[in-house]
Amino acid sequence: MFTTRPTLQGTFGMVSSTHWLASQSAMAVLEDGGNAYDAAVAGAFVLHVVEPHLNGPAGEVPILLAPAGGEVRVLCGQGVAPAGATIEHYRGLGLDLVPGTGPLAAAVPGAFDAWMLLLRDHGTKALADVLKYAIGYAEDGHACVENVGATVETVRELFETEWTTSAEVYLPGGTSPRPGELFRNPALAATWRRLLAEVAGAGDREAQIEAAREVWRSGFIGEALVRQAGRPTMDTSGERRTGTLTAADLASWSASYEAPATYDWNGWTLCKAGPWSQGPVLLQQLALLPAELPAHASADYVHLLIEGCKLAMADREAWYGDADAVPLDDLLSAEYNAARRRLIDGKASYELRPGSPGGRAPRLCEHARVVAPAEPGFDPMGAGEPTVARLTRDGGTRGDTCHLDVVDRWGNMVAATPSGGWLQSNPVVPELGFPLGTRLQMAWLEPGLPNSLAAGRRPRTTLTPSIALRDGVPVLAFGTPGGDQQDQWQLHFFLAVATRAKARGGLDLQGAIDAPNWHNDSFPGSFYPRGMRPGSVTVESRMDEAVVEELRRRGHDVTVGDAWSEGRLCAVARDPEAGILSAAANPRGMQGYAVGR
């Protein structure tokens, strides 16, 4: 099959990310003797600089890591709701949804601490060695991709009239970042330089990283974050409100390790973050598949995957969250999914149909029960995190996400999906050069649900990197931006890789990424204002017209989008028997690249 690029192959190391500068910076760390974890940290901090409309240091990141010869682990960089972030507090402000922007939507920032923990426990490089690439691009400048300036233009009026600290960074002299011109963020560079200066005398490599974590929690960075949360800020409610983040919240939280959720399928084992993420949706979709799949890309195949996704997403709404007793074993059991599979027939479903795992009665939030419509002007191509799709004076825009995968010559693998803290989420903290995040908008302001807002609880995130094992050995790391679409696109990619693996020459990663893709929005969206479009399917125009017409005949409400508009996959792989590493990246958006040798 024709592909936009080759699947890269080599033996030394491979990196794939959503921006070529992050990929090459990570590769430079590998070339300098670092391992996959050193490289991932360096690449992640570059992503903060070069994709500020997609992620930032005060956002969040789930990280899956597979050390050579070790167990796959999840490193959770999803911060919790602050102590003051209660349903009663938000309802008392007259809110029925957490705002999509502003400090009320800010969880405890999680990304920085997660990257520090990864570097401390699994890396080999000093903090200064991995931060130097990000500092260089922030201080000396980089040529912005077009979407940075386009995003700034959508919030120009908000920046100029309300979020003026953001205008100082992103509208210097009244001009937004332009492709082909150097853009700098000197405040961010100064933050990292001051951090390095303050920790330089702390001792050895590990001691300096620990000192950096303390500066983030309670030093000049933590103090600035708390001050910003207390500043009245215009948000999507149309009011100027203050947040709930305190110094105690920052001081009491840290990133943590946990075991992944897993599912075995045809000799593969898929590893995901637990049900505080949407990760098990991918596992449930696999569990719902019949023993024999229809022909790849046929109408039967696409219909089957769409309808299975609807059932898994309905279970996400009823059961997933950071609650104590998510019945994940029952949700992934063969009996449960056999019964759920019988709900799929030849017609498109327009119902949200959660199941009853272990006989438990499902409960949906009121917002889902009334089938909340999408807001006027809703763009299905921009739902969730994929694009900035909506413009209002109060900052009602959506951000996107990044992704990064690395495999090194020793066999270490990492997959990470950094997000949040993007430039359109909150005003830039003037002392730091980056904003707070908005992940609390994922939680419901209705008590008693697995994903209800509660102090100390993680909001259910859409971020969901993947690692796949073959016969018990890690061989594939992958993921994508895309909000609620992430585990739809990842399923399509994984099945294309796993069911169409080449007899010789390894996995066809690039072919699986390039294949025409699709998604549906038949469930409450995770992002404010939480719209849904029952029966909807959005496909690329490259999809076979006969397949599109058959989907419509079966009742799907099909929107045909641009030819290259669905999916943002990155992937790296290793063949432990042949000793070959490989990588591929998404051509859509013209900025994701894989590198390696």
Side-chain angles (χ1 to χ4, degrees):
M1 117 178 225
F2 168 79
T3 59
T4 57
R5 309 164 182 174
T7 295
L8 304 185
Q9 292 187 313
T11 57
F12 180 82
M14 291 283 163
V15 182
S16 179
S17 87
T18 47
H19 196 290
W20 63 84
L21 291 179
S23 296
Q24 189 54 49
S25 297
M27 191 66 201
V29 173
L30 294 181
E31 296 282 5
D32 194 41
N35 65 19
Y37 310 112
D38 298 312
V41 176
F45 278 86
V46 170
L47 286 173
H48 297 158
V49 178
V50 300
E51 294 190 328
H53 58 312
L54 312 181
N55 79 135
E60 46 275 328
V61 58
I63 305 169
L64 265 65
L65 56 148
E71 296 289 324
V72 176
R73 301 291 287 170
V74 176
L75 177 50
C76 174
Q78 174 56 66
V80 299
T86 64
I87 291 174
E88 294 74 22
H89 176 63
Y90 287 68
R91 289 289 191 179
L93 296 173
L95 297 169
D96 58 2
L97 291 174
V98 177
T101 61
L104 272 176
V108 176
F112 179 87
D113 197 61
W115 291 119
M116 292 299 99
L117 214 58
L118 183 69
L119 184 65
R120 184 197 72 184
D121 296 342
H122 299 277
T124 64
K125 292 289 187 180
L127 182 58
D129 291 335
V130 296
L131 279 182
K132 65 183 180 182
Y133 305 93
I135 291 172
Y137 287 125
E139 195 167 64
D140 301 327
H142 66 282
C144 280
V145 295
E146 184 176 355
N147 282 341
V148 176
T151 302
V152 173
E153 285 300 319
T154 67
V155 285
R156 171 183 283 274
E157 182 182 356
L158 177 71
F159 280 14
E160 291 177 337
T161 60
E162 296 283 347
W163 297 7
T164 54
T165 57
S166 297
E168 291 173 9
V169 175
Y170 292 105
L171 288 168
T175 303
S176 59
R178 295 176 179 175
E181 295 182 2
L182 287 180
F183 174 76
R184 298 174 175 86
N185 187 342
L188 178 58
T191 294
W192 299 145
R193 286 200 178 280
R194 180 177 173 183
L195 173 72
L196 291 176
E198 290 195 7
V199 306
D204 62 11
R205 189 187 79 90
E206 289 80 4
Q208 290 187 17
I209 294 169
E210 279 300 297
R213 297 177 73 202
E214 287 306 310
V215 170
W216 179 272
R217 290 193 185 105
S218 58
F220 79 94
I221 295 177
E223 291 170 355
L225 292 172
V226 171
R227 279 195 301 272
Q228 184 62 44
R231 293 180 176 123
T233 301
M234 179 69 74
D235 63 28
T236 49
S237 72
E239 301 289 339
R240 297 180 185 91
R241 303 182 189 274
T242 57
T244 61
L245 182 69
T246 67
D249 294 318
L250 274 175
S252 63
W253 184 86
S254 68
S256 58
Y257 294 97
E258 59 189 54
T262 64
Y263 185 76
D264 294 331
W265 184 84
N266 288 4
W268 294 82
T269 300
L270 270 292
C271 300
K272 302 289 284 186
W276 54 268
S277 76
Q278 74 171 354
V281 163
L282 177 59
L283 310 183
Q284 277 199 256
Q285 289 177 96
L286 288 170
L288 284 162
L289 294 175
E292 296 293 328
L293 292 177
H296 190 85
S298 66
D300 286 341
Y301 179 86
V302 176
H303 174 80
L304 174 69
L305 268 54
I306 291 169
E307 295 304 302
C309 174
K310 291 175 185 177
L311 294 174
M313 284 297 200
D315 278 343
R316 183 192 76 165
E317 290 310 309
W319 300 108
Y320 289 21
D322 197 22
D324 291 334
V326 177
L328 194 56
D329 288 344
D330 289 325
L331 287 166
L332 296 177
S333 70
E335 298 145 329
Y336 177 75
N337 286 286
R340 297 285 277 158
R341 193 180 305 121
R342 289 193 288 271
L343 296 175
I344 301 175
D345 56 23
K347 293 294 183 182
S349 170
Y350 279 61
E351 299 178 64
L352 193 64
R353 300 181 288 179
S356 300
R360 303 168 183 84
R363 181 182 170 192
L364 293 171
C365 68
E366 185 65 33
H367 197 80
R369 291 198 296 273
V370 300
V371 190
E375 73 275 14
F378 179 82
D379 174 11
M381 301 304 294
E385 285 170 307
T387 58
V388 175
R390 179 170 168 265
L391 168 63
T392 63
R393 187 177 182 275
D394 61 15
T397 58
R398 298 182 179 89
D400 198 347
T401 303
C402 306
H403 189 78
L404 175 71
D405 300 308
V406 187
V407 59
D408 63 28
R409 62 190 184 274
W410 300 288
N412 301 303
M413 301 183 78
V414 60
T417 309
S419 187
W422 44 64
L423 67 87
Q424 61 276 24
S425 63
N426 261 296
V428 165
V429 183
E431 306 93 324
L432 303 178
F434 59 84
L436 287 164
T438 55
R439 193 59 58 171
L440 288 187
Q441 67 181 290
M442 308 265 146
W444 295 111
L445 297 181
E446 183 178 338
L449 300 168
N451 191 33
S452 297
L453 180 68
R457 179 185 284 185
R458 292 170 287 190
R460 188 189 68 216
T461 182
T462 53
L463 306 174
T464 172
S466 301
I467 284 181
L469 288 66
R470 184 69 173 166
D471 299 322
V473 179
V475 296
L476 179 63
F478 61 100
T480 178
D484 297 308
Q485 288 90 291
Q486 288 182 30
D487 281 312
Q488 300 184 55
W489 292 335
Q490 288 188 64
L491 174 72
H492 310 161
F493 165 81
F494 173 73
L495 289 178
V497 168
T499 63
R500 304 172 74 182
K502 294 179 180 178
R504 299 178 62 186
L507 304 176
D508 184 16
L509 302 182
Q510 195 65 50
I513 288 173
D514 287 355
N517 219 323
W518 67 91
H519 81 272
N520 84 89
D521 298 300
S522 298
F523 44 84
S526 294
F527 289 82
Y528 181 92
R530 315 300 295 269
M532 60 188 290
R533 297 177 65 238
S536 68
V537 179
T538 303
V539 306
E540 290 181 330
S541 61
R542 295 183 296 129
M543 183 175 281
D544 188 309
E545 290 183 10
V547 171
V548 173
E549 288 309 307
E550 176 60 18
L551 292 175
R552 286 176 170 149
R553 191 191 68 78
R554 297 184 187 197
H556 296 281
D557 180 10
V558 181
T559 297
V560 178
D562 292 338
W564 294 90
S565 54
E566 290 284 317
R568 314 281 190 275
L569 269 298
C570 297
V572 299
R574 60 185 291 262
D575 182 337
E577 293 183 2
I580 299 294
L581 309 178
S582 56
N586 166 52
R588 302 164 178 90
M590 303 297 286
Q591 65 191 67
Y593 273 87
V595 296
R597 69 173 180 87

